Amino acid sequence: MLKNYINGEWVASAEKTTIGVENPATGKVIEQVPAGTPEDIEKAVEAAKTVAKTWRDTPATQRIQYLFRMKQALEAHADEIAEICTNESGKTFGESKAELVRAVENIEVACGIPTLMQSEFSEDIAHGIDEFMIRQPLGICACIAPFNFPIMIPFWFMPYAIACGNTYIIKPSEKVPMTMTRIFEVIEEAGLPKGVLNMVHGTKEVVNAVLDHPAISAISFVGSTAVAKYVYQRGTANGKRVQAQGGAKNPVIIMPDADVDTTVKIIADSVFGCAGQRCLAASLVVMVGDAKNVFKDKLVEAAKAKTTGYGMNADVAMGPVITKESKERIESLIETGVNEGGNLLLDGRNTKIEGFEGGFFVKPTVLDNVKKESSAFATEIFGPVMGLMYADTLDDAIALANSGQYGNSACIFTRSGSAARKFRHDVMAGNIGVNIGVAAPMAFFPFSGWKNSFFGDLHAQSHHAVEFYTQTKIVIERWHDEWSRKF
Protein backbone atom coordinates (compact mmCIF):
# COMPACT_ATOMS: atom_id res chain seq x y z
CA MET A 1 0.00 0.00 0.00
CA LEU A 2 1.20 3.50 -0.82
CA LYS A 3 2.25 5.83 1.99
CA ASN A 4 2.08 9.55 2.59
CA TYR A 5 5.20 11.70 2.63
CA ILE A 6 5.17 13.96 5.69
CA ASN A 7 8.05 15.81 7.32
CA GLY A 8 10.62 14.06 5.15
CA GLU A 9 9.41 10.56 6.03
CA TRP A 10 7.17 7.91 4.46
CA VAL A 11 4.32 7.28 6.87
CA ALA A 12 1.19 5.13 6.77
CA SER A 13 -2.17 6.85 6.63
CA ALA A 14 -4.29 6.90 9.76
CA GLU A 15 -7.10 5.57 7.52
CA LYS A 16 -6.91 1.82 6.92
CA THR A 17 -9.48 1.77 4.09
CA THR A 18 -7.81 1.53 0.68
CA ILE A 19 -8.74 2.06 -2.97
CA GLY A 20 -7.48 -0.14 -5.78
CA VAL A 21 -5.39 1.61 -8.44
CA GLU A 22 -6.22 0.10 -11.84
CA ASN A 23 -4.15 -0.16 -14.98
CA PRO A 24 -6.67 1.17 -17.55
CA ALA A 25 -5.16 -1.03 -20.27
CA THR A 26 -5.86 -4.26 -18.37
CA GLY A 27 -8.48 -3.32 -15.81
CA LYS A 28 -6.35 -5.01 -13.16
CA VAL A 29 -5.50 -3.53 -9.77
CA ILE A 30 -1.78 -2.75 -9.58
CA GLU A 31 -1.56 -0.96 -6.23
CA GLN A 32 -3.58 0.11 -3.18
CA VAL A 33 -3.83 3.74 -2.08
CA PRO A 34 -5.21 4.89 1.29
CA ALA A 35 -8.62 6.58 1.24
CA GLY A 36 -7.13 9.19 3.58
CA THR A 37 -8.37 11.14 6.56
CA PRO A 38 -8.24 14.72 7.87
CA GLU A 39 -5.78 13.48 10.47
CA ASP A 40 -3.26 12.95 7.66
CA ILE A 41 -3.69 16.55 6.51
CA GLU A 42 -3.28 17.76 10.09
CA LYS A 43 0.06 15.96 10.36
CA ALA A 44 1.22 17.44 7.04
CA VAL A 45 0.16 20.93 8.08
CA GLU A 46 2.02 20.64 11.38
CA ALA A 47 5.15 19.54 9.54
CA ALA A 48 4.83 22.40 7.05
CA LYS A 49 4.14 24.88 9.86
CA THR A 50 7.20 23.80 11.84
CA VAL A 51 9.62 24.60 9.02
CA ALA A 52 7.69 27.54 7.49
CA LYS A 53 9.59 30.33 9.29
CA THR A 54 13.01 28.82 8.58
CA TRP A 55 12.16 28.20 4.93
CA ARG A 56 10.72 31.69 4.48
CA ASP A 57 13.91 33.21 5.88
CA THR A 58 16.12 31.12 3.58
CA PRO A 59 17.39 33.41 0.80
CA ALA A 60 15.73 32.85 -2.56
CA THR A 61 19.11 32.20 -4.13
CA GLN A 62 19.53 29.26 -1.76
CA ARG A 63 15.96 27.98 -2.13
CA ILE A 64 16.35 27.55 -5.87
CA GLN A 65 19.42 25.34 -5.43
CA TYR A 66 17.03 22.59 -4.32
CA LEU A 67 15.04 23.12 -7.52
CA PHE A 68 18.15 22.72 -9.64
CA ARG A 69 18.79 19.38 -7.96
CA MET A 70 15.10 18.45 -8.30
CA LYS A 71 15.29 19.04 -12.06
CA GLN A 72 18.38 16.85 -12.38
CA ALA A 73 16.78 14.04 -10.36
CA LEU A 74 13.61 14.02 -12.45
CA GLU A 75 15.52 14.01 -15.71
CA ALA A 76 17.70 11.13 -14.52
CA HIS A 77 14.61 9.02 -13.78
CA ALA A 78 12.46 10.22 -16.69
CA ASP A 79 11.87 6.85 -18.37
CA GLU A 80 10.99 5.11 -15.14
CA ILE A 81 8.51 7.80 -14.09
CA ALA A 82 6.96 7.87 -17.56
CA GLU A 83 6.39 4.11 -17.51
CA ILE A 84 4.64 4.31 -14.13
CA CYS A 85 2.51 7.15 -15.47
CA THR A 86 1.53 5.11 -18.54
CA ASN A 87 0.60 2.05 -16.49
CA GLU A 88 -1.70 3.92 -14.13
CA SER A 89 -3.12 6.64 -16.44
CA GLY A 90 -3.31 4.77 -19.76
CA LYS A 91 -1.58 7.36 -21.93
CA THR A 92 1.22 6.41 -24.28
CA PHE A 93 4.83 6.34 -23.14
CA GLY A 94 5.62 9.26 -25.44
CA GLU A 95 2.82 11.32 -23.94
CA SER A 96 4.08 10.54 -20.44
CA LYS A 97 7.62 11.58 -21.36
CA ALA A 98 6.32 14.82 -22.90
CA GLU A 99 4.40 15.52 -19.70
CA LEU A 100 7.57 15.22 -17.64
CA VAL A 101 9.36 17.64 -19.97
CA ARG A 102 6.63 20.23 -19.31
CA ALA A 103 6.97 19.64 -15.55
CA VAL A 104 10.70 20.27 -15.73
CA GLU A 105 10.08 23.47 -17.72
CA ASN A 106 8.19 24.86 -14.74
CA ILE A 107 11.05 24.00 -12.40
CA GLU A 108 13.40 25.85 -14.74
CA VAL A 109 11.21 28.97 -14.78
CA ALA A 110 10.77 28.84 -10.99
CA CYS A 111 14.56 28.87 -10.66
CA GLY A 112 14.32 32.50 -11.77
CA ILE A 113 12.51 33.46 -8.55
CA PRO A 114 15.31 35.79 -7.36
CA THR A 115 14.37 38.10 -10.25
CA LEU A 116 10.70 37.11 -10.64
CA MET A 117 10.04 38.16 -7.02
CA GLN A 118 11.75 41.52 -7.38
CA SER A 119 9.44 44.43 -6.65
CA GLU A 120 9.27 48.20 -7.07
CA PHE A 121 11.05 51.11 -5.38
CA SER A 122 10.26 54.81 -5.66
CA GLU A 123 12.68 57.26 -4.08
CA ASP A 124 11.51 60.66 -2.81
CA ILE A 125 7.77 60.26 -3.31
CA ALA A 126 7.82 63.31 -1.03
CA HIS A 127 10.85 65.13 0.34
CA GLY A 128 12.96 62.57 2.20
CA ILE A 129 10.34 59.82 1.91
CA ASP A 130 10.81 56.58 -0.02
CA GLU A 131 8.15 54.01 -0.86
CA PHE A 132 8.64 50.45 -1.99
CA MET A 133 6.89 47.11 -2.27
CA ILE A 134 8.20 43.73 -1.19
CA ARG A 135 6.82 40.24 -1.80
CA GLN A 136 6.57 37.72 1.00
CA PRO A 137 5.35 34.11 1.01
CA LEU A 138 1.85 33.23 2.19
CA GLY A 139 2.83 30.29 4.41
CA ILE A 140 1.36 26.83 3.75
CA CYS A 141 -0.14 26.12 0.31
CA ALA A 142 -1.65 23.03 -1.31
CA CYS A 143 -2.45 21.43 -4.65
CA ILE A 144 -5.40 19.12 -5.38
CA ALA A 145 -4.28 17.36 -8.57
CA PRO A 146 -6.27 15.62 -11.35
CA PHE A 147 -5.78 12.21 -12.94
CA ASN A 148 -5.10 13.23 -16.53
CA PHE A 149 -1.63 14.77 -16.01
CA PRO A 150 -0.23 13.22 -12.83
CA ILE A 151 3.30 14.51 -13.54
CA MET A 152 2.87 17.92 -15.11
CA ILE A 153 0.01 19.65 -13.34
CA PRO A 154 1.39 19.60 -9.77
CA PHE A 155 4.49 21.26 -11.26
CA TRP A 156 2.38 24.13 -12.58
CA PHE A 157 2.21 25.15 -8.94
CA MET A 158 4.65 23.53 -6.52
CA PRO A 159 8.04 24.79 -7.81
CA TYR A 160 6.85 28.41 -7.72
CA ALA A 161 5.30 28.01 -4.27
CA ILE A 162 8.39 26.63 -2.58
CA ALA A 163 10.76 28.91 -4.51
CA CYS A 164 8.75 31.87 -3.19
CA GLY A 165 9.32 30.62 0.35
CA ASN A 166 6.09 28.70 1.06
CA THR A 167 5.79 25.17 2.35
CA TYR A 168 3.59 22.82 0.34
CA ILE A 169 1.21 19.85 0.39
CA ILE A 170 0.24 17.84 -2.71
CA LYS A 171 -2.89 15.67 -2.81
CA PRO A 172 -2.56 13.44 -5.92
CA SER A 173 -5.61 11.98 -7.62
CA GLU A 174 -6.50 8.66 -6.02
CA LYS A 175 -6.83 7.27 -9.58
CA VAL A 176 -3.12 7.87 -10.35
CA PRO A 177 -1.21 8.06 -7.05
CA MET A 178 1.80 5.94 -8.00
CA THR A 179 3.41 8.48 -10.32
CA MET A 180 3.62 11.26 -7.74
CA THR A 181 4.73 8.76 -5.09
CA ARG A 182 7.69 7.78 -7.27
CA ILE A 183 8.40 11.44 -8.04
CA PHE A 184 8.62 12.16 -4.31
CA GLU A 185 11.03 9.26 -3.89
CA VAL A 186 13.16 10.67 -6.69
CA ILE A 187 13.15 14.29 -5.55
CA GLU A 188 14.23 13.27 -2.06
CA GLU A 189 17.64 13.45 -3.77
CA ALA A 190 17.22 17.23 -3.87
CA GLY A 191 17.58 17.29 -0.09
CA LEU A 192 14.78 19.73 0.74
CA PRO A 193 14.47 20.49 4.47
CA LYS A 194 11.96 18.23 6.20
CA GLY A 195 8.42 19.54 6.05
CA VAL A 196 8.89 21.91 3.11
CA LEU A 197 7.21 19.47 0.71
CA ASN A 198 4.58 16.92 1.77
CA MET A 199 2.17 14.52 0.07
CA VAL A 200 -1.11 13.15 1.41
CA HIS A 201 -3.27 10.58 -0.41
CA GLY A 202 -7.03 10.45 -0.15
CA THR A 203 -10.47 11.21 -1.53
CA LYS A 204 -13.13 13.87 -0.86
CA GLU A 205 -12.70 13.80 2.92
CA VAL A 206 -9.04 14.76 2.50
CA VAL A 207 -9.94 17.44 -0.07
CA ASN A 208 -12.41 18.97 2.39
CA ALA A 209 -9.77 18.93 5.10
CA VAL A 210 -7.47 20.92 2.79
CA LEU A 211 -10.26 23.38 1.95
CA ASP A 212 -11.18 23.87 5.61
CA HIS A 213 -7.84 23.87 7.43
CA PRO A 214 -7.21 27.35 8.83
CA ALA A 215 -3.42 27.12 8.41
CA ILE A 216 -3.55 26.50 4.64
CA SER A 217 -3.48 29.85 2.84
CA ALA A 218 -3.77 28.99 -0.86
CA ILE A 219 -5.12 26.11 -2.94
CA SER A 220 -4.55 25.18 -6.58
CA PHE A 221 -6.95 22.79 -8.31
CA VAL A 222 -7.51 21.28 -11.76
CA GLY A 223 -10.53 19.14 -12.62
CA SER A 224 -14.12 19.30 -13.81
CA THR A 225 -16.09 22.54 -13.67
CA ALA A 226 -18.51 21.20 -11.08
CA VAL A 227 -15.72 20.29 -8.68
CA ALA A 228 -13.76 23.47 -9.52
CA LYS A 229 -16.78 25.54 -8.44
CA TYR A 230 -17.05 23.52 -5.24
CA VAL A 231 -13.34 23.93 -4.45
CA TYR A 232 -13.42 27.65 -5.23
CA GLN A 233 -16.56 28.38 -3.21
CA ARG A 234 -15.58 26.35 -0.15
CA GLY A 235 -11.97 27.49 -0.19
CA THR A 236 -12.72 31.19 -0.60
CA ALA A 237 -15.47 30.97 2.01
CA ASN A 238 -12.70 29.92 4.39
CA GLY A 239 -10.64 32.98 3.43
CA LYS A 240 -8.16 31.18 1.17
CA ARG A 241 -6.72 32.14 -2.18
CA VAL A 242 -7.99 29.64 -4.75
CA GLN A 243 -7.17 29.06 -8.41
CA ALA A 244 -9.46 26.38 -9.82
CA GLN A 245 -9.17 25.20 -13.41
CA GLY A 246 -12.41 23.66 -14.67
CA GLY A 247 -13.67 21.84 -17.74
CA ALA A 248 -13.49 22.67 -21.43
CA LYS A 249 -15.14 22.17 -24.81
CA ASN A 250 -12.44 23.53 -27.05
CA PRO A 251 -13.50 24.62 -30.56
CA VAL A 252 -11.22 24.48 -33.60
CA ILE A 253 -12.11 26.52 -36.69
CA ILE A 254 -10.91 25.45 -40.12
CA MET A 255 -10.91 28.10 -42.84
CA PRO A 256 -11.09 27.01 -46.52
CA ASP A 257 -7.53 28.26 -47.13
CA ALA A 258 -5.93 26.13 -44.38
CA ASP A 259 -3.08 23.81 -45.32
CA VAL A 260 -4.80 20.46 -45.71
CA ASP A 261 -2.30 17.80 -44.64
CA THR A 262 -0.81 19.75 -41.73
CA THR A 263 -4.22 20.84 -40.43
CA VAL A 264 -5.67 17.33 -40.52
CA LYS A 265 -2.71 15.79 -38.71
CA ILE A 266 -2.55 18.45 -36.01
CA ILE A 267 -6.28 18.36 -35.30
CA ALA A 268 -6.40 14.55 -35.14
CA ASP A 269 -3.47 14.59 -32.70
CA SER A 270 -5.21 17.25 -30.61
CA VAL A 271 -8.57 15.45 -30.43
CA PHE A 272 -7.25 11.95 -29.81
CA GLY A 273 -4.02 12.57 -27.88
CA CYS A 274 -4.21 11.22 -24.32
CA ALA A 275 -7.51 9.61 -25.43
CA GLY A 276 -9.08 13.07 -25.42
CA GLN A 277 -8.55 13.38 -21.68
CA ARG A 278 -6.79 16.74 -21.54
CA CYS A 279 -8.19 20.15 -20.85
CA LEU A 280 -6.75 21.59 -24.08
CA ALA A 281 -7.90 18.79 -26.40
CA ALA A 282 -9.79 19.91 -29.50
CA SER A 283 -13.39 18.81 -29.15
CA LEU A 284 -15.54 20.62 -31.73
CA VAL A 285 -14.23 21.11 -35.27
CA VAL A 286 -16.04 23.92 -37.09
CA MET A 287 -15.50 23.99 -40.86
CA VAL A 288 -16.16 27.32 -42.55
CA GLY A 289 -17.67 27.50 -46.04
CA ASP A 290 -16.03 25.17 -48.56
CA ALA A 291 -13.69 23.70 -45.94
CA LYS A 292 -16.29 20.97 -45.46
CA ASN A 293 -15.67 19.62 -48.96
CA VAL A 294 -11.93 19.36 -48.36
CA PHE A 295 -11.48 18.39 -44.73
CA LYS A 296 -14.41 16.25 -43.59
CA ASP A 297 -13.41 12.94 -45.16
CA LYS A 298 -9.72 13.48 -44.43
CA LEU A 299 -10.42 14.04 -40.72
CA VAL A 300 -12.33 10.75 -40.60
CA GLU A 301 -9.48 8.93 -42.32
CA ALA A 302 -6.96 10.43 -39.88
CA ALA A 303 -9.09 9.23 -36.98
CA LYS A 304 -9.27 5.70 -38.45
CA ALA A 305 -5.50 5.63 -38.76
CA LYS A 306 -4.93 6.09 -35.02
CA THR A 307 -3.74 2.81 -33.48
CA THR A 308 -5.35 2.14 -30.09
CA GLY A 309 -3.80 -0.11 -27.46
CA TYR A 310 -1.43 -0.44 -24.50
CA GLY A 311 0.55 2.77 -24.16
CA MET A 312 3.94 1.09 -23.67
CA ASN A 313 3.76 -0.45 -27.16
CA ALA A 314 5.73 1.69 -29.59
CA ASP A 315 3.19 1.51 -32.43
CA VAL A 316 0.26 2.71 -30.28
CA ALA A 317 -0.97 6.28 -30.78
CA MET A 318 -3.80 6.26 -28.24
CA GLY A 319 -4.32 4.41 -24.97
CA PRO A 320 -7.42 3.63 -22.92
CA VAL A 321 -9.53 6.06 -20.92
CA ILE A 322 -8.94 6.17 -17.20
CA THR A 323 -11.69 3.93 -15.73
CA LYS A 324 -14.53 1.60 -16.64
CA GLU A 325 -16.94 4.32 -15.48
CA SER A 326 -15.33 6.84 -17.83
CA LYS A 327 -15.65 4.42 -20.73
CA GLU A 328 -19.32 3.88 -19.97
CA ARG A 329 -19.98 7.62 -19.63
CA ILE A 330 -18.23 8.42 -22.92
CA GLU A 331 -20.09 5.70 -24.79
CA SER A 332 -23.38 6.89 -23.32
CA LEU A 333 -22.67 10.46 -24.47
CA ILE A 334 -21.91 9.17 -27.96
CA GLU A 335 -25.29 7.44 -28.01
CA THR A 336 -26.95 10.64 -26.81
CA GLY A 337 -25.24 12.54 -29.60
CA VAL A 338 -26.71 10.16 -32.17
CA ASN A 339 -30.16 10.39 -30.61
CA GLU A 340 -29.94 14.18 -30.81
CA GLY A 341 -29.45 14.09 -34.57
CA GLY A 342 -25.71 13.55 -34.96
CA ASN A 343 -24.41 11.27 -37.68
CA LEU A 344 -21.82 8.75 -36.49
CA LEU A 345 -19.10 8.65 -39.16
CA LEU A 346 -16.75 6.58 -37.00
CA ASP A 347 -17.86 4.58 -33.97
CA GLY A 348 -15.21 3.71 -31.37
CA ARG A 349 -17.52 2.05 -28.87
CA ASN A 350 -17.37 -1.59 -27.73
CA THR A 351 -13.66 -1.78 -28.44
CA LYS A 352 -11.68 -4.85 -27.48
CA ILE A 353 -7.90 -4.93 -27.86
CA GLU A 354 -6.30 -8.36 -28.28
CA GLY A 355 -4.37 -9.25 -25.16
CA PHE A 356 -5.98 -6.40 -23.23
CA GLU A 357 -9.63 -7.46 -23.27
CA GLY A 358 -10.20 -6.08 -19.77
CA GLY A 359 -9.00 -2.58 -20.69
CA PHE A 360 -11.08 0.57 -20.84
CA PHE A 361 -10.66 1.32 -24.53
CA VAL A 362 -12.72 3.64 -26.69
CA LYS A 363 -11.40 4.02 -30.22
CA PRO A 364 -11.45 7.37 -32.06
CA THR A 365 -15.01 8.46 -32.73
CA VAL A 366 -16.31 11.09 -35.18
CA LEU A 367 -19.80 12.56 -34.73
CA ASP A 368 -20.98 14.66 -37.68
CA ASN A 369 -23.59 17.41 -37.75
CA VAL A 370 -23.46 18.24 -34.04
CA LYS A 371 -26.27 20.64 -33.20
CA LYS A 372 -25.73 23.78 -31.14
CA GLU A 373 -28.70 22.83 -28.96
CA SER A 374 -27.38 19.33 -28.25
CA SER A 375 -25.57 17.95 -25.24
CA ALA A 376 -22.80 16.85 -27.63
CA PHE A 377 -22.12 20.57 -28.13
CA ALA A 378 -22.46 21.63 -24.49
CA THR A 379 -21.04 18.69 -22.53
CA GLU A 380 -17.36 18.04 -21.91
CA ILE A 381 -17.07 14.43 -23.08
CA PHE A 382 -13.41 14.10 -21.99
CA GLY A 383 -12.81 11.24 -24.36
CA PRO A 384 -11.69 10.52 -27.95
CA VAL A 385 -14.70 12.05 -29.68
CA MET A 386 -14.49 14.59 -32.53
CA GLY A 387 -17.64 16.62 -33.10
CA LEU A 388 -18.04 18.16 -36.58
CA MET A 389 -19.95 21.40 -37.16
CA TYR A 390 -20.30 23.88 -40.02
CA ALA A 391 -20.53 27.65 -40.46
CA ASP A 392 -20.98 29.90 -43.46
CA THR A 393 -18.55 32.61 -42.35
CA LEU A 394 -15.78 33.23 -39.86
CA ASP A 395 -18.13 35.51 -37.91
CA ASP A 396 -20.63 32.67 -37.63
CA ALA A 397 -17.90 30.27 -36.49
CA ILE A 398 -16.66 32.67 -33.82
CA ALA A 399 -20.22 33.24 -32.60
CA LEU A 400 -20.64 29.48 -32.35
CA ALA A 401 -17.36 29.12 -30.43
CA ASN A 402 -18.36 31.92 -28.03
CA SER A 403 -21.82 30.53 -27.32
CA GLY A 404 -20.64 27.74 -25.03
CA GLN A 405 -20.12 27.92 -21.28
CA TYR A 406 -16.39 27.15 -21.42
CA GLY A 407 -13.44 29.30 -22.45
CA ASN A 408 -10.30 27.30 -21.95
CA SER A 409 -8.89 27.13 -25.48
CA ALA A 410 -9.82 27.93 -29.07
CA CYS A 411 -7.81 27.44 -32.27
CA ILE A 412 -7.99 28.47 -35.92
CA PHE A 413 -6.33 27.03 -39.00
CA THR A 414 -5.83 29.48 -41.84
CA ARG A 415 -3.28 31.10 -44.14
CA SER A 416 -4.92 34.50 -43.66
CA GLY A 417 -3.34 36.89 -41.18
CA SER A 418 -6.51 38.96 -41.22
CA ALA A 419 -8.69 35.98 -40.27
CA ALA A 420 -6.24 34.93 -37.56
CA ARG A 421 -6.16 38.44 -36.09
CA LYS A 422 -9.96 38.72 -36.06
CA PHE A 423 -10.19 35.30 -34.42
CA ARG A 424 -7.69 36.00 -31.65
CA HIS A 425 -9.35 39.37 -30.98
CA ASP A 426 -12.97 38.20 -30.88
CA VAL A 427 -12.94 34.65 -29.55
CA MET A 428 -13.68 34.30 -25.82
CA ALA A 429 -11.06 31.87 -24.56
CA GLY A 430 -7.90 32.19 -22.53
CA ASN A 431 -5.50 30.06 -24.61
CA ILE A 432 -5.52 30.81 -28.34
CA GLY A 433 -3.93 28.72 -31.08
CA VAL A 434 -3.25 29.87 -34.62
CA ASN A 435 -2.37 26.83 -36.74
CA ILE A 436 -1.77 25.10 -33.39
CA GLY A 437 -3.91 22.20 -32.16
CA VAL A 438 -3.05 22.29 -28.45
CA ALA A 439 -2.58 25.87 -27.29
CA ALA A 440 -0.52 24.96 -24.21
CA PRO A 441 1.51 27.93 -22.93
CA MET A 442 5.18 27.50 -22.21
CA ALA A 443 6.06 27.70 -18.52
CA PHE A 444 7.12 31.34 -18.78
CA PHE A 445 3.54 32.31 -19.74
CA PRO A 446 0.43 31.82 -17.53
CA PHE A 447 -1.97 29.01 -18.33
CA SER A 448 -5.09 31.03 -18.93
CA GLY A 449 -8.76 30.08 -18.94
CA TRP A 450 -12.03 32.02 -19.15
CA LYS A 451 -15.70 31.64 -18.27
CA ASN A 452 -16.58 28.31 -16.61
CA SER A 453 -13.14 26.93 -17.39
CA PHE A 454 -11.53 28.88 -14.55
CA PHE A 455 -12.44 30.24 -11.14
CA GLY A 456 -10.08 32.75 -9.59
CA ASP A 457 -7.95 35.71 -10.60
CA LEU A 458 -4.41 34.42 -11.06
CA HIS A 459 -3.56 31.43 -13.23
CA ALA A 460 -0.85 28.77 -13.07
CA GLN A 461 2.77 29.28 -14.15
CA SER A 462 5.12 32.22 -14.59
CA HIS A 463 4.39 35.67 -13.12
CA HIS A 464 0.83 34.70 -12.22
CA ALA A 465 2.19 31.90 -10.02
CA VAL A 466 4.59 34.28 -8.28
CA GLU A 467 1.76 36.73 -7.60
CA PHE A 468 -0.54 33.94 -6.40
CA TYR A 469 2.00 32.52 -3.95
CA THR A 470 3.14 35.84 -2.49
CA GLN A 471 1.52 38.76 -0.75
CA THR A 472 2.68 42.32 -1.22
CA LYS A 473 3.77 44.63 1.55
CA ILE A 474 4.06 48.37 0.93
CA VAL A 475 6.68 50.20 3.01
CA ILE A 476 6.74 54.01 3.30
CA GLU A 477 9.72 55.29 5.26
CA ARG A 478 11.44 58.50 6.19
CA TRP A 479 14.78 58.98 7.96
CA HIS A 480 15.92 62.31 9.46
CA ASP A 481 19.63 63.05 9.68
CA GLU A 482 19.30 64.16 13.30
CA TRP A 483 17.78 60.77 14.19
CA SER A 484 20.64 58.86 12.65
CA ARG A 485 23.20 61.02 14.49
CA LYS A 486 21.79 59.82 17.84
CA PHE A 487 22.96 56.27 17.15
Side-chain angles (χ1 to χ4, degrees):
M1 184 176 72
L2 298 178
K3 294 183 176 182
N4 297 327
Y5 187 80
I6 298 174
N7 200 32
E9 297 180 357
W10 294 97
V11 296
S13 170
E15 174 59 62
K16 302 306 178 187
T17 304
T18 63
I19 301 167
V21 181
E22 296 176 321
N23 182 334
T26 64
K28 295 180 179 179
V29 174
I30 54 177
E31 184 57 274
Q32 294 288 331
V33 63
T37 172
E39 184 180 338
D40 297 333
I41 288 293
E42 184 63 41
K43 290 177 181 177
V45 168
E46 285 304 310
K49 189 186 298 183
T50 299
V51 75
K53 178 65 166 61
T54 302
W55 184 245
R56 166 188 164 144
D57 292 342
T58 301
T61 52
Q62 294 181 25
R63 291 197 296 258
I64 64 171
Q65 300 308 313
Y66 297 101
L67 293 184
F68 286 127
R69 294 197 287 272
M70 185 185 294
K71 163 186 158 65
Q72 293 170 347
L74 287 174
E75 289 175 334
H77 295 271
D79 285 354
E80 176 193 356
I81 292 170
E83 183 172 351
I84 294 171
C85 181
T86 291
N87 281 324
E88 70 172 352
S89 73
K91 62 181 62 181
T92 68
F93 181 73
E95 289 167 340
S96 296
K97 281 287 291 286
E99 184 181 345
L100 191 137
V101 169
R102 296 307 293 264
V104 169
E105 283 177 5
N106 278 283
I107 298 175
E108 291 169 345
V109 174
C111 286
I113 283 297
T115 53
L116 290 173
M117 279 186 70
Q118 285 179 352
S119 297
E120 303 155 5
F121 191 103
S122 293
E123 189 177 37
D124 287 324
I125 58 164
H127 184 67
I129 299 177
D130 303 328
E131 184 169 348
F132 57 94
M133 181 183 78
I134 57 178
R135 291 191 175 277
Q136 296 181 335
L138 300 175
I140 303 171
C141 306
C143 167
I144 302 166
F147 76 82
N148 58 331
F149 285 94
I151 303 172
M152 179 184 72
I153 287 179
F155 284 85
W156 282 357
F157 312 113
M158 179 268 287
Y160 302 97
I162 64 173
C164 286
N166 301 283
T167 52
Y168 211 72
I169 301 169
I170 294 178
K171 205 296 285 185
S173 167
E174 64 277 12
K175 294 183 176 72
V176 288
M178 296 168 60
T179 301
M180 190 52 60
T181 296
R182 182 59 186 140
I183 285 174
F184 264 68
E185 291 172 349
V186 166
I187 62 180
E188 278 189 291
E189 297 174 18
L192 278 163
K194 291 183 177 181
V196 170
L197 187 57
N198 307 276
M199 176 181 62
V200 176
H201 295 291
T203 55
K204 186 175 180 180
E205 188 177 14
V206 173
V207 170
N208 287 339
V210 170
L211 297 175
D212 294 342
H213 201 291
I216 296 176
S217 299
I219 297 168
S220 302
F221 170 84
V222 178
S224 70
T225 288
V227 181
K229 281 183 179 179
Y230 173 82
V231 168
Y232 183 76
Q233 290 170 348
R234 186 158 177 166
T236 54
N238 286 317
K240 305 180 190 305
R241 290 188 183 184
V242 181
Q243 47 185 189
Q245 185 82 30
K249 191 73 176 180
N250 303 313
V252 175
I253 294 174
I254 306 178
M255 299 299 290
D257 65 346
D259 180 83
V260 178
D261 292 339
T262 303
T263 298
V264 168
K265 181 184 185 308
I266 291 174
I267 291 178
D269 289 345
S270 176
V271 174
F272 303 118
C274 298
Q277 299 174 122
R278 54 186 176 195
C279 53
L280 291 178
S283 181
L284 298 170
V285 180
V286 184
M287 287 168 266
V288 177
D290 293 338
K292 173 182 179 180
N293 301 327
V294 179
F295 287 93
K296 178 179 174 180
D297 291 343
K298 288 185 177 294
L299 287 168
V300 175
E301 290 305 312
K304 288 180 179 177
K306 293 287 183 185
T307 304
T308 304
Y310 174 44
M312 287 302 297
N313 292 338
D315 62 335
V316 167
M318 194 183 86
V321 297
I322 187 67
T323 61
K324 178 183 177 182
E325 291 74 21
S326 290
K327 173 182 167 71
E328 292 171 348
R329 179 185 56 79
I330 293 164
E331 293 183 339
S332 175
L333 286 168
I334 294 170
E335 182 67 24
T336 299
V338 173
N339 294 336
E340 292 174 336
N343 180 22
L344 205 54
L345 302 180
L346 185 64
D347 189 353
R349 294 174 295 177
N350 304 313
T351 295
K352 294 292 182 184
I353 304 297
E354 186 177 354
F356 297 90
E357 288 79 7
F360 313 130
F361 294 96
V362 180
K363 282 188 175 181
T365 298
V366 181
L367 184 66
D368 189 24
N369 200 31
V370 172
K371 301 291 193 301
K372 181 181 174 183
E373 301 77 20
S374 69
S375 58
F377 174 81
T379 305
E380 182 183 31
I381 296 176
F382 219 58
V385 181
M386 179 190 292
L388 302 183
M389 304 182 75
Y390 308 96
D392 293 331
T393 66
L394 176 58
D395 283 329
D396 293 338
I398 291 173
L400 192 63
N402 288 343
S403 65
Q405 65 167 312
Y406 300 113
N408 207 33
S409 173
C411 301
I412 188 171
F413 286 82
T414 182
R415 298 175 192 262
S416 167
S418 175
R421 187 181 188 281
K422 178 176 179 58
F423 175 81
R424 79 175 190 226
H425 181 272
D426 292 349
V427 76
M428 297 173 65
N431 301 292
I432 305 301
V434 177
N435 298 318
I436 297 289
V438 179
M442 296 294 288
F444 35 84
F445 285 94
F447 187 103
S448 196
W450 288 18
K451 297 160 70 174
N452 277 347
S453 291
F454 182 74
F455 301 91
D457 300 301
L458 295 165
H459 296 87
Q461 302 189 157
S462 188
H463 284 88
H464 275 216
V466 176
E467 291 184 32
F468 183 77
Y469 287 118
T470 59
Q471 51 195 343
T472 56
K473 180 181 286 185
I474 305 300
V475 181
I476 307 169
E477 64 181 30
R478 171 167 49 195
W479 298 96
H480 290 290
D481 288 342
E482 59 268 27
W483 292 356
S484 63
R485 285 195 293 269
K486 293 179 181 179
F487 300 95

